[in-house]
Amino acid sequence: MQADISQLKDAVATPGSAVSRWAQYYALTKPKVVQLIVFCAFIGMVLAVPGVPGWQDWGRMLTACAGIWLVAAAAAAFNCLVERSIDARMKRTAWRPTARGELSHSRALLFSGVLCAAGAAILLLAVNALTLWLTLATFVGYAVIYTLVLKPLTPQNIVIGGASGAMPPVLGWAAMTGQVGHEALLLFLIIFLWTPPHFWALALYRAEDYRRAGLPMLPVTHGNAFTRLQVFLYTLVLFAGCLLPFVAGMSGYLYLFAAVILGLGFCGYGWALLRNYSDALARKTFRFSLVHLSLLFAALLVDHYLA
């Protein structure tokens, strides 16, 4: 992941080339974040289909993934536009083309609008109206409510705003069934509980960045020790939440085994972070959180076909 981001930064920083301009627009979409969003939506789609998907199912899945990708990318681009001055003050995001002033406001806004319109059209015409409206609600939740309202005002921004980030499996489920089942809500809950310890681990070792940007992230407003405690407590709650698909009969023992092992690993990182903090450990915790969610959902997928 770091290598991919470094290559993208290099391409963005190469002035005057077609590759550079393409890379600038591509960077606005936050590709790694959007890939995880689409992956979680795809898992929701597959789990919503009993048995092995047929060709028609696969066609619908690919179409829905394309529509969701476009709207998610539009939300990311809008976020980059709105937060350009904040990004410019943060080491982690100062390379973004909007932060560097390499893309005009009008171009970034037009790019976001085109992506959103294209994604919305695909979802409405080729998937279903419910998926369209849920996806647009997610766009508003992230790009407007989280970015413009919650993030600059409250240290609980990532907790409340995490609802929009937890929507992808619900979108996927709705795309295949035309409704929101309780199974989709369980997947929503898992991501909702996963988001705070994932993001606060990042915020811990980037605290000075957020302080310099004037954002009220938890390590800035409540300190390092309190944030570490919250990370650990959330990993415990997340551990319990990840067992719910098995308890509800949605998955089998393979998933249960993966959930326990991955959950213990995340709790272990949270405990180590609480006992003996270092930026390096916080970075490892953040990276493990990505592995945790990816493997957890992959285990759900494999278990679905082995059941």
Side-chain angles (χ1 to χ4, degrees):
M1 180 182 292
Q2 286 300 115
D4 292 341
I5 293 176
S6 297
Q7 291 170 3
L8 184 56
K9 289 180 181 178
D10 292 341
V12 168
T14 305
S17 69
V19 172
S20 173
R21 181 63 68 189
W22 176 88
Q24 287 169 355
Y25 282 113
Y26 184 59
L28 292 186
T29 67
K30 300 184 180 180
K32 290 298 181 182
V33 175
V34 172
Q35 285 172 21
L36 184 59
I37 289 171
V38 174
F39 171 72
C40 292
F42 175 74
I43 297 299
M45 294 175 200
V46 175
L47 294 179
V49 178
V52 179
W55 287 111
Q56 186 175 1
D57 294 322
W58 281 111
R60 192 177 189 85
M61 288 180 196
L62 292 175
T63 303
C65 282
I68 292 169
W69 187 94
L70 287 166
V71 177
F78 185 80
N79 172 269
C80 287
L81 173 62
V82 171
E83 295 193 334
R84 60 192 181 278
S85 59
I86 293 174
D87 286 345
R89 296 196 296 269
M90 297 180 65
K91 183 178 179 181
R92 182 173 66 92
T93 56
W95 65 276
R96 289 175 179 164
T98 42
R100 292 160 61 98
E102 294 170 343
L103 279 178
S104 67
H105 304 168
S106 58
R107 284 186 173 183
L109 184 60
L110 177 62
F111 178 64
S112 175
V114 169
L115 290 181
C116 187
I122 289 173
L123 293 175
L124 178 62
L125 299 176
V127 184
N128 58 55
L130 177 61
T131 306
L132 165 66
W133 292 117
L134 288 175
T135 305
L136 290 180
T138 303
F139 177 100
V140 172
Y142 173 71
V144 179
I145 297 175
Y146 170 71
T147 301
L148 293 176
V149 180
L150 295 173
K151 192 171 182 178
L153 292 181
T154 171
Q156 291 299 309
N157 47 29
I158 200 63
V159 177
I160 305 169
S164 59
M167 283 296 290
V170 179
L171 305 181
W173 198 279
M176 302 308 294
T177 66
Q179 60 185 8
V180 176
H182 72 275
E183 300 94 338
L185 296 179
L186 288 180
L187 301 180
F188 170 92
L189 179 63
I190 288 173
I191 300 179
F192 182 75
L193 295 174
W194 169 88
T195 301
H198 159 74
F199 192 84
W200 284 334
L202 168 69
L204 278 167
Y205 69 87
R206 294 291 190 182
E208 287 307 313
D209 250 3
Y210 288 114
R211 184 174 288 109
R212 187 163 49 248
L215 292 174
M217 295 303 174
L218 199 63
V220 176
T221 61
H222 288 69
N224 182 287
F226 181 81
T227 305
R228 286 151 49 200
L229 175 61
Q230 294 303 304
V231 169
F232 176 62
L233 293 177
Y234 261 96
T235 61
L236 296 179
V237 177
L238 174 63
F239 181 91
C242 289
L243 301 181
L244 291 178
F246 176 79
V247 174
M250 183 181 171
S251 64
Y253 286 101
L254 187 149
Y255 169 79
L256 177 63
F257 176 78
V260 169
I261 296 301
L262 291 168
L264 288 175
F266 206 173
C267 289
Y269 270 106
W271 176 248
L273 204 59
L274 179 63
R275 293 294 302 274
N276 188 23
Y277 178 79
S278 70
D279 283 353
L281 182 57
R283 191 184 301 269
K284 288 180 181 178
T285 304
F286 171 74
R287 290 175 177 171
F288 180 80
S289 70
L290 294 169
V291 173
H292 173 276
L293 186 65
S294 299
L295 291 184
L296 188 77
F297 273 53
L300 260 176
L301 180 62
V302 174
D303 187 276
H304 177 69
Y305 288 114
L306 293 181

